[in-house]
Amino acid sequence: MPAVDLSTHPGHLARRLQQAHHLLWNSMVSEEITSPQFAVLNALTAEPGLDQRTVGERVGLDRSTIAEVVTRLLRRELLDKARDPDDGRRWLLRLTGEGERAHRRLALRTTRMNQVFLGPLSDGEQRVLFDLLHRVSDAAEALRSPAQPSRTPDGAPGPGAG
């Protein structure tokens, strides 16, 4: 079989985009706070007092990843946690004062980084890109836990079928 054209493989292109994003993030936003950590700070800015599971759902992180991210943010004293008064088994998360300051600083930097990252596209192209990325990522979310086993177009079992 001849070599495949990886420029037609969405996973390959997504990886290249992620590498570029990571490079820009480290150079323009922060070398200390990662993009997923910022996403958690941002979610708790929008909705203070969420529990860890809900924050993970809001930002698209699995259970083990959100646990690690929250642990790092707690250690850096950017987050605080308190028992839920209605359910003593749950911990509710809030930004500390330092967490609020970090979020404000990073939010401004992410705006500039996104301008650079999306610079090659017109405003209309950016809207189309976001629409397409949302559609594909929303569909991909369904692959994590499909309701029923699926099949690929060639009849083979699809993701979650085994």
Side-chain angles (χ1 to χ4, degrees):
M1 175 170 221
V4 297
D5 179 3
L6 291 179
S7 70
T8 65
H9 287 229
H12 176 74
L13 296 172
R15 184 185 56 75
R16 288 182 57 203
L17 280 174
Q18 180 58 33
Q19 286 175 324
H21 179 269
H22 183 74
L23 175 71
L24 282 174
W25 184 273
N26 284 340
S27 65
M28 296 184 73
V29 180
S30 178
E31 290 183 343
E32 292 83 33
I33 297 175
T34 65
S35 179
Q37 290 170 354
F38 173 73
V40 169
L41 295 177
N42 195 60
L44 290 168
T45 296
E47 297 179 84
L50 295 176
D51 64 272
Q52 182 172 295
R53 180 189 55 80
T54 304
V55 173
E57 290 171 359
R58 296 283 197 277
V59 299
L61 296 176
D62 61 57
R63 287 176 53 183
S64 61
T65 304
I66 189 64
E68 181 181 327
V69 167
V70 166
T71 296
R72 288 174 190 238
L73 292 171
L74 286 166
R75 209 173 313 148
R76 296 189 68 194
E77 299 181 355
L78 299 175
L79 289 186
D80 228 347
K81 67 179 183 176
R83 289 258 184 223
D84 183 340
D86 299 326
D87 181 352
R89 297 168 296 175
R90 285 183 358 150
W91 289 93
L92 303 179
L93 302 170
R94 291 191 180 281
L95 298 184
T96 62
E98 184 57 33
E100 290 172 358
R101 286 186 290 280
H103 176 266
R104 272 193 305 275
R105 184 175 65 251
L106 297 174
L108 292 171
R109 293 176 186 174
T110 60
T111 299
R112 177 67 186 129
M113 184 205 70
N114 287 333
Q115 291 170 342
V116 171
F117 194 54
L118 298 170
L121 303 177
S122 70
D123 289 347
E125 289 170 327
Q126 289 179 29
R127 284 190 295 277
V128 169
L129 174 66
F130 278 110
D131 177 57
L132 295 172
L133 289 173
H134 281 288
R135 286 171 43 199
V136 171
S137 61
D138 289 348
E141 283 295 315
L143 297 176
R144 285 185 181 201
S145 56
Q148 297 179 9
S150 60
R151 297 225 168 257
T152 62
D154 66 358

